[in-house]
Amino acid sequence: MSEAPHLVSQATIPALVDVPDNASINTITLERVARTGENTMLERRDSPKGPWLPVSANRFIKHVNAVGRGLIAMGINPGDRVAIMSRTRYEWTVIDYACWAVGAVPVPIYETSSIDQIEWILSDTGAKMVIVENQMHEFAVDSIRDRVPELKDVLVIDKGALRKLRDAGESVPEEELIARRDAVVADDLATIIYTSGSTGRPKGVELTHRNFVHVVLNGIEMLPEMLDIEGARTVLFLPLAHVFARVVEVIALSSNVVLGHTPDIKNLVGDLKSFKPTFLLVVPRVLEKVYNSAAQSAAGSKIKQNMFQWAVRVAIAYSRALDTGEVNPALKAAHATAQRLVLNKLRDAMGGHVDYAISGGAPLGERLGHFFRGLGLEVLEGYGLTETTAPATVNLPSNIEIGTVGPPLAGTTVGIADDGEILIKGPHIFRGYRNNPEMTAEVLKNGWFHTGDIGTLDTHDRLRITGRKKELIVTAGGKNVSPAVLEDRLRSHPLISQVVVVGDQRPFIGALVTLDTESLPKWLETHNLPPMTVEEAKDNPVVLARLQRAVDRANQAVSRAESIRKFTVLDQDFTEQNGYLTPSMKIRRPIILR
């Protein structure tokens, strides 16, 4: 037994709901079905531009049970692993819940995964079946079939996988599925999610039904303004292969939320307008894109540009004034005008009904947090990892402190070790890494999960993330620098896509910058510059001068020793395809630095 960690501070929020030993994702879903019956539980589309079609709770569970019986017919036993490789769509959720209904363990695979990653996940889990979205995925799996001998069946959603399962399941009595479903208990394995680590092979994080049910039931109690209101709706567009979207899927289908899916983020604006969600699940990059797109649209004329920048300043000032509890009449009047002329148009672009966005995965930055609150969209920043079943802390509508990631989730203890590392304890901590007891022992000690992130707790028990333990830069002069502060500020510039701050063991801090290929043409046009490629723009003196201004502004947030003295613009962006971004849009810092 290792020694208990030495903590300099800690915060505990007691659980609002305790998870019974016989609870599972199945039990909390059936409670929703009993409550909702013939009322709408999900909405789905048969084509990208088609109407949203209601799916009642009764109809959804009928779909789930029919597919579940098909899994039984095809030899899937309790505990067997079934891999799912698809974009975010209705069928993903049906397969997920069908696996849980028969006691199987769904294993997500990102639809952008490489052949090596697919082979590793299928072999490490010993998956008996994989359900893929399309023929391209089928070809990828077929290319490694001989190296994953436990894999028996490959089904393709676009070739009628669900219909095939339903047909096969007609021979299986409903009672057999019910017996399987009722036998699932809290400490049974619910899923294995592979984290896209910055180096090495992905680690399989084993999460139980208890982990999910704890987060879901306590999350619903903590966020009634978002989850328990009449007409609550959300549309998922982040990958269901990621723990963040997966937890929101289960929260939505266990609360009173109507859930939709959209597989293609390129159609997001149109989908938001037609679906009209009341809350969204986002990563900061999505909100940065919304802001930058609005800024670019306003840059068409000097009058529009000045109007937009004025509205931004008013929105931020209004939000900051809300923190003090004193909004003076002049600011209130200016804010009402800014809403009417500018801000409401942005809100309408997100469907017109969005009141909340849950943001995670990376820091949003205080400026954008205040801007969106001034717009009328409360961004609830939270913090968590795959190993904590997503949220460990979250800002609450009644208690937002922009710049923090909020207090602990109910039932969670957050501790800060003497070296600044964030430690987490609670019923939602994973049970271990698949087939990797050594690595499990490294991060799970005396019930505490060692996150590798560093942060502080304020006097109101709210957590502030200051960096990653392994990402701290130590300059040649011995100055400790957390890159996140500078990177977050620079990424808000419409020209910039990604930033990596460098300088470990060097005399000063520098930055690698990539240009946003989507924003570049419009930016050039509005600044009276001719069209140019990224390769040309990265050396253009006007572009470089504007980037230098952005760097100077970012440097105002840090000391002279921590400031960026030099930056280099790269001729390609960091993407998942070239290996520099994880599927959850995090930069693979060690690979970029190497």
Side-chain angles (χ1 to χ4, degrees):
M1 177 70 71
S2 56
E3 288 183 24
H6 179 256
L7 302 177
V8 294
S9 60
Q10 73 176 68
T12 301
I13 303 291
L16 297 171
V17 182
D18 291 319
V19 178
D21 290 341
N22 63 348
S24 68
I25 295 168
N26 296 325
T27 62
I28 59 175
T29 308
L30 290 174
E31 286 168 10
R32 165 73 188 272
V33 172
R35 229 173 33 243
T36 304
E38 286 301 315
N39 293 330
T40 303
M41 188 173 181
L42 301 98
E43 288 183 6
R44 59 173 300 190
R45 273 175 155 173
D46 290 333
S47 64
K49 301 289 185 185
W52 291 97
L53 305 171
V55 179
S56 72
N58 290 340
R59 187 166 179 76
F60 173 68
I61 211 68
K62 191 176 177 182
H63 288 171
V64 167
N65 290 353
V67 172
R69 287 160 65 196
L71 293 173
I72 295 172
M74 294 188 72
I76 297 298
N77 294 311
D80 284 348
R81 276 73 63 203
V82 176
I84 309 171
M85 183 177 181
S86 168
R87 294 177 302 165
T88 296
R89 53 192 283 179
Y90 175 77
E91 292 86 352
W92 212 117
T93 294
V94 171
I95 296 162
D96 213 11
Y97 276 77
C99 289
W100 287 325
V102 302
V105 179
V107 178
I109 302 177
Y110 282 99
E111 48 97 20
T112 52
S113 294
S114 68
I115 298 291
D116 286 349
Q117 289 168 333
I118 296 167
E119 181 188 345
W120 167 245
I121 292 171
L122 293 177
S123 60
D124 194 46
T125 58
K128 279 178 75 169
M129 177 186 286
V130 58
I131 302 174
V132 300
E133 182 173 16
N134 55 42
Q135 193 169 38
M136 187 175 70
H137 299 152
E138 183 184 22
F139 288 156
V141 174
D142 282 345
S143 71
I144 48 98
R145 279 293 284 272
D146 60 333
R147 302 200 290 277
V148 281
E150 291 180 71
L151 182 64
K152 299 291 185 283
D153 294 293
V154 181
L155 304 180
V156 185
I157 293 170
D158 286 350
K159 291 183 178 179
L162 272 66
R163 185 176 61 251
K164 182 177 179 179
L165 284 165
R166 286 195 298 267
D167 291 347
E170 287 182 359
S171 61
V172 175
E174 186 90 11
E175 292 74 23
E176 187 171 346
L177 176 131
I178 292 169
R180 289 259 202 111
R181 188 183 65 202
D182 292 349
V184 177
V185 295
D187 291 323
D188 286 343
L189 186 60
T191 191
I192 308 166
I193 299 179
Y194 281 78
T195 59
S196 46
S198 55
T199 58
R201 279 179 158 165
K203 304 185 293 287
V205 177
E206 295 191 331
L207 298 173
T208 65
H209 283 265
R210 185 185 300 279
N211 295 151
F212 274 88
V213 175
H214 172 79
V215 168
V216 168
L217 296 185
N218 284 281
I220 291 169
E221 288 295 316
M222 290 185 82
L223 294 166
E225 304 95 329
M226 192 173 76
L227 302 170
D228 201 26
I229 59 165
E230 187 72 30
R233 304 164 60 80
T234 194
V235 61
L236 283 179
F237 53 87
L238 298 180
L240 274 164
H242 192 271
V243 70
F244 192 20
R246 197 85 167 289
V247 163
V248 169
E249 168 197 65
V250 182
I251 285 177
L253 297 184
S254 306
S255 58
N256 293 316
V257 174
V258 172
L259 179 67
H261 305 75
T262 180
D264 195 341
I265 200 164
K266 289 175 185 165
N267 301 327
L268 183 58
V269 172
D271 290 341
L272 294 180
K273 280 187 173 180
S274 60
F275 191 84
K276 302 188 187 315
T278 58
F279 74 92
L280 287 175
L281 173 69
V282 298
V283 290
R285 191 70 187 127
V286 170
L287 294 176
E288 287 166 5
K289 286 275 191 184
V290 168
Y291 175 84
N292 290 340
S293 175
Q296 290 290 78
S297 298
S301 74
K302 197 69 180 169
I303 293 172
K304 277 187 174 180
Q305 194 174 6
N306 290 341
M307 179 72 75
F308 179 78
Q309 291 303 333
W310 169 79
V312 169
R313 289 194 298 272
V314 169
I316 292 171
Y318 182 80
S319 175
R320 290 189 186 281
L322 290 176
D323 285 342
T324 66
E326 296 177 14
V327 183
N328 66 53
L331 180 55
K332 195 175 284 187
H335 182 250
T337 304
Q339 278 188 309
R340 190 173 67 254
L341 296 178
V342 178
L343 302 177
N344 285 346
K345 292 173 186 172
L346 261 79
R347 202 156 176 270
D348 289 344
M350 292 183 280
H353 295 268
V354 180
D355 294 318
Y356 299 104
I358 307 173
S359 177
L364 175 63
E366 289 191 35
R367 187 170 179 273
L368 278 185
H370 281 297
F371 168 72
F372 279 105
R373 182 162 67 170
L375 176 80
L377 173 64
E378 297 268 22
V379 181
L380 307 177
E381 279 199 272
Y383 166 75
L385 303 94
T386 308
E387 291 89 342
T388 64
T389 324
T393 70
V394 66
N395 271 291
L396 304 175
S398 58
N399 183 20
I400 291 179
E401 179 67 24
I402 291 173
T404 78
V405 289
L409 181 80
T412 304
T413 299
V414 173
I416 306 297
D418 47 15
D419 63 355
E421 185 174 10
I422 300 163
L423 313 183
I424 301 170
K425 184 186 279 190
H428 55 319
I429 301 299
F430 77 128
R431 76 179 195 185
Y433 294 118
R434 179 83 176 170
N435 299 325
N436 201 333
E438 297 84 6
M439 195 165 284
T440 301
E442 274 182 35
V443 299
L444 276 182
K445 300 172 185 175
N446 287 322
W448 289 98
F449 170 56
H450 292 240
T451 66
D453 291 317
I454 55 175
T456 58
L457 286 165
D458 68 16
T459 53
H460 297 284
D461 292 342
R462 291 180 293 235
L463 180 64
R464 189 179 292 268
I465 309 295
T466 55
R468 273 199 67 75
K469 204 171 170 181
K470 292 178 182 174
E471 288 175 3
L472 264 186
I473 293 169
V474 183
T475 65
K479 180 68 179 175
N480 283 6
V481 178
S482 177
V485 177
L486 293 161
E487 290 171 354
D488 296 342
R489 288 194 162 220
L490 274 174
R491 272 200 311 270
S492 67
H493 191 282
L495 263 181
I496 294 174
S497 176
Q498 297 290 345
V499 183
V500 175
V501 169
V502 297
D504 204 44
Q505 303 304 314
R506 301 296 175 89
F508 60 84
I509 295 297
L512 303 174
V513 175
T514 71
L515 299 180
D516 190 319
T517 53
E518 290 177 27
S519 298
L520 179 62
K522 181 73 174 173
W523 189 92
L524 293 170
E525 181 189 330
T526 55
H527 288 79
N528 300 314
L529 292 170
M532 58 182 86
T533 64
V534 168
E535 289 78 8
E536 293 166 331
K538 78 182 185 68
D539 297 317
N540 181 275
V542 178
V543 172
L544 291 174
R546 289 307 179 102
L547 293 177
Q548 184 62 61
R549 281 167 57 177
V551 168
D552 293 342
R553 280 198 301 271
N555 283 341
Q556 292 171 7
V558 297
S559 69
R560 168 79 177 154
E562 297 168 284
S563 65
I564 296 169
R565 310 281 180 85
K566 184 178 178 182
F567 66 90
T568 299
V569 184
L570 305 181
D571 57 10
Q572 63 170 326
D573 201 355
F574 301 140
T575 66
E576 190 186 344
Q577 287 69 36
N578 63 24
Y580 293 125
L581 283 189
T582 71
S584 55
M585 303 292 285
K586 297 188 186 82
I587 56 172
R588 297 183 189 270
R589 195 177 298 271
I591 294 174
I592 291 166
L593 295 180
R594 189 163 66 240

